[in-house]
Amino acid sequence: MTVARRGPWRGGASRLVVRARPGTRSRGLLSFGSFLLPCALGRGGITRRKREGDGATPAGRFEVLDVYFRADRGRRPVTALPVSALRPADGWCDDPAHPRYNRPVTLPFAASHEEMWRQDRLYDIVVVLDCNLRPAVRGRGSAIFFHIAREDWRPTLGCVAIRPDHMRRLLARLRPGAVMEIL
């Protein structure tokens, strides 16, 4: 699993905007053009001071990079973004002391990591955001993704999550250079 490297955001590209809903830190609204969609946020709400393990969704402007999906659980998403099928050996390093911090890894992997091939459906479609990637600053958060929400809308560990049908509709409209702004 590799993360594509592209140039900075360019004007005219797609823009997703995420805001917390008043009165609930872990629920939000994602707007994209005329779409206004519910989303799950981290249990700590949105923060400007992201730290590894705080459970908060980082505020900022992040390029939407790569899309991964479970081919055994659904068809390939239709999108102009780069798409790859996940494999059982795919992981993501979340150990701030490791040189591969906030990077894809192959399992088994001795350091702390996130398994990308999950038993639940959260990563049936998962989108990598350019959050703390270039460069990865130790302890500033890892594995901040845009992925599928739990059916009961429980909070994420810091990601942004939406319904599977909404994810597919959005991905069909996104193109390289798209950004997610978390306010």
Side-chain angles (χ1 to χ4, degrees):
M1 186 166 82
T2 59
V3 175
R5 302 290 182 237
R6 282 178 282 289
W9 178 79
R10 292 169 295 283
S14 304
R15 182 172 159 237
L16 302 156
V17 178
V18 176
R19 292 180 173 85
R21 289 176 110 165
T24 176
R25 298 179 348 170
S26 64
R27 295 287 300 275
L29 291 172
L30 183 150
S31 60
F32 176 74
S34 62
F35 291 107
L36 186 60
L37 308 170
C39 63
L41 303 171
R43 69 182 187 279
I46 296 174
T47 185
R48 296 205 178 282
R49 294 189 175 101
K50 178 69 183 157
R51 296 285 178 236
E52 188 69 39
D54 64 4
T57 300
R61 183 180 185 139
F62 310 110
E63 187 173 355
V64 176
L65 297 176
D66 301 297
V67 178
Y68 296 97
F69 75 106
R70 289 276 304 259
D72 62 322
R73 292 190 177 165
R75 69 190 190 289
R76 182 183 198 277
V78 174
T79 184
L81 297 169
V83 179
S84 299
L86 284 169
R87 298 166 299 147
D90 288 334
W92 199 274
C93 179
D94 60 11
D95 181 349
H98 197 277
R100 296 285 307 159
Y101 176 62
N102 203 24
R103 296 283 184 267
V105 295
T106 300
L107 306 179
F109 186 72
S112 179
H113 61 275
E114 174 91 18
E115 290 186 17
M116 301 299 289
W117 188 272
R118 295 176 60 117
Q119 295 306 307
D120 60 25
R121 302 186 78 73
L122 301 186
Y123 290 0
D124 283 5
I125 300 175
V126 59
V127 181
V128 177
L129 300 176
D130 185 18
C131 180
N132 195 33
L133 285 178
R134 301 180 272 196
V137 178
R138 295 176 193 272
R140 295 299 303 265
S142 63
I144 303 298
F145 301 131
F146 179 36
H147 63 75
I148 304 303
R150 290 179 174 89
E151 289 183 16
D152 64 2
W153 293 99
R154 276 183 288 151
T156 69
L157 296 177
C159 300
V160 175
I162 62 175
R163 289 184 3 196
D165 58 322
H166 289 165
M167 178 68 81
R168 287 186 178 279
R169 287 174 61 196
L170 283 179
L171 288 176
R173 290 163 176 80
L174 293 180
R175 61 185 190 265
V179 296
M180 178 178 281
E181 288 187 65
I182 303 172
L183 306 175

